[in-house]
Amino acid sequence: MEHPEAGGINSNECENVSRKKKMSAEFEANTMDSLVDMPFATVDIQDDCGITDEPQINLKRSQENEWIKSDQVKKRKKKRKDYQPNYFLSIPITNKEIIKGIKILQNAIIQQDERLAKAMVSDGSFHITLLVMQLLNEDEVNIGIDALLELKPFIEELLQGKHLTLPFQGIGTFGNQVGFVKLAEGDHVNSLLEIAETANRTFQEKGILVGESRSFKPHLTFMKLSKSPWLRKNGVKKIDPDLYEKFISHRFGEEILYRIDLCSMLKKKQSNGYYHCESSIVIGEKNGGEPDDAELVRLSKRLVENAVLKAVQQYLEETQNKNKPGEGSSVKTEAADQNGNDNENNRK
């Protein structure tokens, strides 16, 4: 039997190496095809996954580049994985006709199944969500407020001084888990979609993580089973369409876009049931420019906060002035000099 010389490779080993290279190439091709079908196919796949077409001239430098790219990919994936929206842009529903109609709908459903009372959204929380986002600290909240303020002129330019009327008619669900009042079809839908896309772009340009605008479907939620896990444990796994059958084509009324709020999902709600609001923009005028109750509450709260901050700042400034070294002695010296001058004048 012949043995290969030292450092030599027999034919079987060459075939194994060739087969491994071929399998590796096929796997890489299949992987690329799979990536193209993924939701993030619009980004540069080679850059995102650390794949390069350049020959490996310097192995050490190539390995360092791969480590750097791998670390970047991990950070990007961690950023996407950790994304959990906790703030949103809200169009509050203030039309009493709409609110009354939804409450009638809710009561009609509860009469048929009392367990679903736990799934109902309170009337003070009715709104349309324009955009969801993640704001992790006060600095990011302030950036979000700036983005909201920048959004105002874009919306006013889009509407050109006209009111955007949002008519609500009919009922829909998301997977029979969330019940909502539909926004009726019409040109107003395109205007609202354009506002949502502009908001998405404006907040992203500020570096804020936001939800995808293409998934935006304007709706007015009136119930959701997730509000009470107790329901699923007791056999309520979906919203039965028969419960709201009489309201399938019901006209609930019209809401005029007047205000957009930056709201928190997690902070304690206001006394009227509406979400904690960080800031708002007013679009056009409503009822001759008279603010509604929610706006008055916000304005009052803002005035109180400003007054408190001003008082604290004044107190700190006075405290610092008292504690500055040398000031007390200088005051005493000036007083002594003044007394001395007075004595001299008296002698004269």
Side-chain angles (χ1 to χ4, degrees):
M1 182 182 292
E2 295 182 358
H3 296 280
E5 296 180 1
I9 302 176
N10 59 33
S11 60
N12 291 333
E13 289 175 335
C14 287
E15 289 177 1
N16 290 336
V17 172
S18 177
R19 191 178 295 112
K20 288 180 179 178
K21 288 183 178 180
K22 184 178 180 181
M23 291 174 65
S24 176
E26 291 177 352
F27 175 77
E28 183 176 342
N30 292 333
T31 302
M32 292 297 295
D33 290 339
S34 300
L35 287 172
V36 171
D37 293 332
M38 296 297 284
F40 48 82
T42 53
V43 303
D44 188 343
I45 295 175
Q46 289 189 339
D47 178 64
D48 199 46
C49 298
I51 301 172
T52 177
D53 294 327
E54 297 179 2
Q56 296 184 357
I57 299 174
N58 189 314
L59 182 60
K60 184 175 180 181
R61 183 182 301 170
S62 176
Q63 288 176 340
E64 290 176 352
N65 291 337
E66 290 298 323
W67 290 336
I68 293 172
K69 287 187 176 182
S70 176
D71 184 58
Q72 290 175 344
V73 170
K74 287 179 181 178
K75 287 181 178 179
R76 290 174 189 170
K77 287 182 177 179
K78 186 177 186 298
K79 198 173 185 180
R80 287 193 295 266
K81 185 179 179 181
D82 293 344
Y83 170 68
Q84 184 65 44
N86 58 345
Y87 277 84
F88 65 103
L89 291 185
S90 166
I91 299 176
I93 302 300
T94 59
N95 186 335
K96 294 180 179 179
E97 180 188 355
I98 297 176
I99 296 172
K100 181 180 178 181
I102 295 177
K103 292 180 75 173
I104 292 173
L105 164 65
Q106 291 175 325
N107 289 331
I109 292 175
I110 294 171
Q111 286 177 4
Q112 299 173 74
D113 191 340
E114 294 182 355
R115 296 175 298 177
L116 293 174
K118 297 180 178 294
M120 297 302 169
V121 175
S122 62
D123 54 0
S125 300
F126 294 151
H127 69 280
I128 297 175
T129 299
L130 268 182
L131 183 70
V132 296
M133 68 197 74
Q134 183 184 59
L135 303 175
L136 297 177
N137 49 53
E138 287 300 318
D139 289 338
E140 292 189 2
V141 170
N142 289 331
I143 294 173
I145 292 173
D146 290 341
L148 176 62
L149 296 177
E150 288 184 14
L151 189 61
K152 179 181 170 72
F154 288 105
I155 297 175
E156 292 181 339
E157 182 180 355
L158 172 67
L159 299 180
Q160 296 182 347
K162 298 178 181 178
H163 289 302
L164 179 58
T165 303
L166 306 174
F168 292 92
Q169 180 180 4
I171 306 297
T173 69
F174 292 127
N176 291 321
Q177 299 295 307
V178 176
F180 60 86
V181 175
K182 292 180 179 179
L183 183 64
E185 296 295 329
D187 293 338
H188 55 273
V189 176
N190 293 330
S191 298
L192 195 59
L193 289 173
E194 192 168 347
I195 291 173
E197 289 173 359
T198 303
N200 187 296
R201 184 171 60 253
T202 303
F203 278 75
Q204 281 199 53
E205 288 173 353
K206 293 282 188 180
I208 295 173
L209 285 175
V210 300
E212 295 184 0
S213 59
R214 63 184 178 183
S215 62
F216 174 67
K217 182 179 180 180
H219 61 281
L220 201 175
T221 301
F222 66 87
M223 69 177 296
K224 46 187 175 181
L225 299 183
S226 61
K227 281 178 63 68
S228 177
W230 174 89
L231 291 171
R232 178 169 289 274
K233 294 178 182 178
N234 285 268
V236 183
K237 297 182 180 180
K238 65 177 184 177
I239 302 171
D240 188 344
D242 293 337
L243 296 172
Y244 53 81
E245 184 179 8
K246 295 180 180 179
F247 295 85
I248 288 294
S249 301
H250 182 75
R251 294 178 181 272
F252 288 87
E254 298 178 343
E255 180 74 32
I256 296 176
L257 174 60
Y258 165 67
R259 200 178 77 230
I260 298 177
D261 303 322
L262 175 61
C263 297
S264 170
M265 298 180 186
L266 306 178
K267 291 183 179 180
K268 185 178 179 180
K269 289 185 177 182
Q270 301 178 32
S271 58
N272 61 358
Y274 191 61
Y275 298 88
H276 174 87
C277 182
E278 299 289 351
S279 184
S280 305
I281 56 173
V282 175
I283 310 298
E285 294 184 353
K286 179 181 179 182
N287 298 330
E290 295 180 2
D292 56 22
D293 293 341
E295 183 68 14
L296 288 173
V297 170
R298 267 192 302 279
L299 288 172
S300 300
K301 183 179 178 182
R302 200 171 300 159
L303 288 171
V304 172
E305 289 176 348
N306 290 339
V308 171
L309 287 173
K310 188 175 181 180
V312 171
Q313 186 177 5
Q314 184 177 354
Y315 171 78
L316 291 174
E317 289 177 353
E318 291 176 354
T319 304
Q320 290 174 354
N321 290 335
K322 289 179 180 179
N323 294 334
K324 283 182 179 179
E327 287 191 355
S329 58
S330 63
V331 172
K332 291 179 181 179
T333 303
E334 291 176 0
D337 292 343
Q338 184 65 37
N339 291 334
N341 292 333
D342 290 342
N343 292 333
E344 290 180 4
N345 290 331
N346 292 334
R347 291 194 199 99
K348 292 176 181 177

